[in-house]
Every structure is written in structure tokens, then in C-alpha cells.
Amino acid sequence: SNLPIQIKVVILGDSGVGKSSIILRFVYDDFKGETDSTIGAAYKGKVYQHNNCNIQFNIWDTAGQEKFKSLAKMYYRDATAAILVYDITNSQTYDGLKEWYRELKEFGPEDIILCIAGNKEDLVDSESVQLDTVEEFAESIGAYYKRTSAKTNYGIDMIFKEIANKVCAD
Ligand code: GTP
Ligand code: MG
């Protein structure tokens, strides 16, 4: 049929890594240098055509601030895919990503599609997490890894294309 396949995507990561910015870029092709930190969570929908496969991405943009951490479970527990984001210029946020992964492993769906976005690729001169390290980790957990920039639009479509690929192959 022509009815879109419904895909729930949750985006997780520390505050300030650019989760909302990635979604703003993907859904509205826009970027803001100053953003409001997300409160609770925010929903955005986008219809997406992938080859002959019609998809509706239902995206839950979670809040990275510590005080909202316990809410994330509501959004990832029945998600098809998770995008784990860190800021390539801030190694603390990579540690944060690993924590999110451990939590997902423990409480998330077993077959969840995992993607890692190393965001702020436009600031690659200040990259502070070794690329090899992330690539190795991504491979070890079966995650797709891509550097992204919400600012320049680098890599963002690749992440969603990867999710679409996995879902449409079924
Ligand atoms: P919380 O909602 O608090 O969890 O943060 P968040 O992960 O949603 O971060 P947000 O998208 O609000 O972005 C935080 C800051 O980083 C903003 O000032 C953005 O403009 C900036 N930012 C986001 N993505 C990029 C990027 O790719 N490159 C650069 N240079 N700045 C970015
Ligand atoms: Mg946000």
C-alpha cells in the first residue's frame, strides 16, 4: 500500500551536543546558532521517501539535562531506532554517550537500530575524541557511525537513510 511505514526514532545524548539542531536541520533544513535547551522532550514528524519505501519518521527529541534523564525511558522503550549523539569537540559527551548506550542495552528494545552521530563536524579542527576509538566502539555494538554537522548539514541525511535502509530491507 502507499501508507507510510511508521518508524519511531529517539535521539539521545548530553545537553548541548546538538540533538535538537540535528532534528531542526533534518525536518526543516534550518539551523540556529542559539537554541533553547529542550525541556522534557519534543516530537517532530517527517515523511521520507527511500527508494520505493514510504516512511514516516516519528522523532522524539529528548532533553539532555541531567534532571530530565529519567524521562528518556518513555521515549526509547518502544523505539525502532536510536540516534546517540556526542559533540566531537567535547570528550565528556562521548563518555555520556557510552552511558546512554549502557542504559539502552539494559532497558531498551533488544532489536533497536543504533546510530552514533559525532556532531559539530564543522569544528573538526578541535576534535577531541579519537576517530578510531569511536569507530571501534560503534563496530563492537553494531551501530552505524557518522560524523554530522547540523550547522552545515554534513552527514545528517546519511543517518536517516541508514535507518530507512534497515527498516525497508525487512
Ligand atoms: P539539550 O536540549 O539541552 O539536550 O541540547 P541539544 O543536544 O538539543 O543541543 P542544541 O541542538 O540545543 O545545540 C546546542 C548548541 O550547539 C547550540 O548553540 C547550537 O547552535 C550548537 N550546535 C548544534 N549543532 C551544531 C553543529 O553541528 N555545529 C556547531 N558549530 N554548533 C552546533
Ligand atoms: Mg535539545
Side-chain angles (χ1 to χ4, degrees):
S1 79
N2 290 324
L3 282 177
I5 301 173
Q6 299 293 324
I7 302 180
K8 181 171 174 179
V9 179
V10 64
I11 184 160
L12 299 164
D14 286 358
S15 183
V17 296
K19 300 178 296 299
S20 298
S21 300
I22 288 171
I23 302 311
L24 184 69
R25 174 60 79 185
F26 179 63
V27 176
Y28 301 112
D29 196 18
D30 195 7
F31 177 77
K32 290 185 169 64
E34 280 181 37
T35 58
D36 294 322
S37 187
T38 305
I39 305 291
Y43 169 85
K44 296 272 183 310
K46 182 175 166 108
V47 173
Y48 189 85
Q49 196 70 34
H50 180 70
N51 303 331
N52 287 327
C53 180
N54 194 13
I55 286 170
Q56 161 98 25
F57 281 118
N58 300 297
I59 306 164
W60 284 96
D61 174 19
T62 66
Q65 286 184 60
E66 195 62 37
K67 60 183 168 188
F68 298 118
K69 214 161 177 189
S70 61
L71 294 178
K73 195 175 288 165
M74 292 199 297
Y75 303 100
Y76 67 65
R77 69 179 168 201
D78 58 347
T80 313
I83 304 171
L84 301 172
V85 186
Y86 73 100
D87 171 348
I88 65 164
T89 71
N90 180 343
S91 59
Q92 258 184 36
T93 68
Y94 181 64
D95 299 337
L97 176 147
K98 289 191 144 184
E99 245 178 74
W100 278 114
Y101 170 69
R102 279 192 288 273
E103 183 175 328
L104 263 185
K105 209 58 206 159
E106 192 166 0
F107 303 112
E110 220 174 296
D111 54 353
I112 194 165
I113 296 166
L114 291 174
C115 297
I116 296 176
N119 195 41
K120 310 197 184 181
E121 184 277 340
D122 54 290
L123 304 176
V124 72
D125 289 348
S126 312
E127 185 162 39
S128 66
V129 186
Q130 277 253 307
L131 186 58
D132 292 0
T133 309
V134 191
E135 281 178 343
E136 245 171 62
F137 175 66
E139 203 183 326
S140 75
I141 66 168
Y144 175 75
Y145 171 65
K146 188 84 187 88
R147 283 202 192 106
T148 59
S149 171
K151 188 171 181 178
T152 65
N153 201 15
Y154 178 86
I156 290 173
D157 199 59
M158 296 287 287
I159 298 267
F160 288 91
K161 199 173 265 174
E162 174 68 15
I163 296 169
N165 239 331
K166 290 234 161 94
V167 172
C168 295
D170 293 347

